[in-house]
Amino acid sequence: MVEISFLTGSDRTRWEVLARGHDAHGGVERGDDAYERTWRRLLEGGDRAIGIGARLDGNMVGIAHYVFHAGIWGNARCYLADLFVDAEVRRLGVATAMIEWVARDAERNGFPRLYWNTLSDSPARALYDKVAKMNEGLVVYTYRREAEGDLASSRKRHQG
């Protein structure tokens, strides 16, 4: 049976192993300071960043990070930013249990809309297609600032 709970200080070492596994799986490289900063944010929870751990037989085998935020039209939302399960225990219901746990927590806290992103070729899509509805035709853009500075600097260069 999967046991899920909020992260606590004693989870730090195993959380980082799983967080680094998540990043390696996604081809993301981060410095040690990023893990430390994120860990503090998850434990403090002041900016609504929340972390949970999933355990099988007392061993943490999965993590999820999510954040509550307002919607422009009043529809409060919960964004599932990260979900990762140790490869050795995949397909045992851990990810499903974490998604359902996050959905219940979001609903309890007044944030009924849960959403997340994934890569189009992600193997996890088989699960996501079972537990969620995909918005066909929705294209997600992420803004990249110019290497030379921020948007205001860019405007000044183009205007001036």
Side-chain angles (χ1 to χ4, degrees), residues 15 17 24 29 36 42 46 57 59 97 105 108-109 113 143:
W15 168 85
V17 168
E29 293 184 28
E36 183 59 33
L42 292 169
D57 299 321
N59 299 315
D105 189 43
R108 269 192 309 270
N109 283 283
R113 294 190 59 191
Y143 178 76

Side-chain angles (χ1 to χ4, degrees), residues 61-83:
V61 295
I63 57 172
H65 308 137
Y66 56 103
V67 63
F68 298 142
H69 66 89
I72 297 300
W73 300 104
N75 297 324
R77 292 170 166 75
C78 178
Y79 173 59
L80 179 59
D82 301 309
L83 176 68

Side-chain angles (χ1 to χ4, degrees), residues 4 8 10-11 13 20 24-25 32-33 38 61 68 77-78 91 96 109 112 123 134 139-140 145 150 155:
I4 300 173
T8 66
S10 64
D11 294 326
T13 301
R20 287 181 184 274
H25 185 73
D32 293 342
D33 60 326
T38 299
V61 295
F68 298 142
R77 292 170 166 75
C78 178
R91 302 194 190 287
T96 301
N109 283 283
M134 186 175 88
V139 177
V140 176
R145 282 196 317 199
D150 61 16
R155 283 187 187 136

Side-chain angles (χ1 to χ4, degrees), residues 143-155 157-158:
Y143 178 76
R144 291 181 295 186
R145 282 196 317 199
E146 294 181 33
E148 300 155 24
D150 61 16
L151 185 58
S153 299
S154 176
R155 283 187 187 136
R157 280 195 308 277
H158 295 302

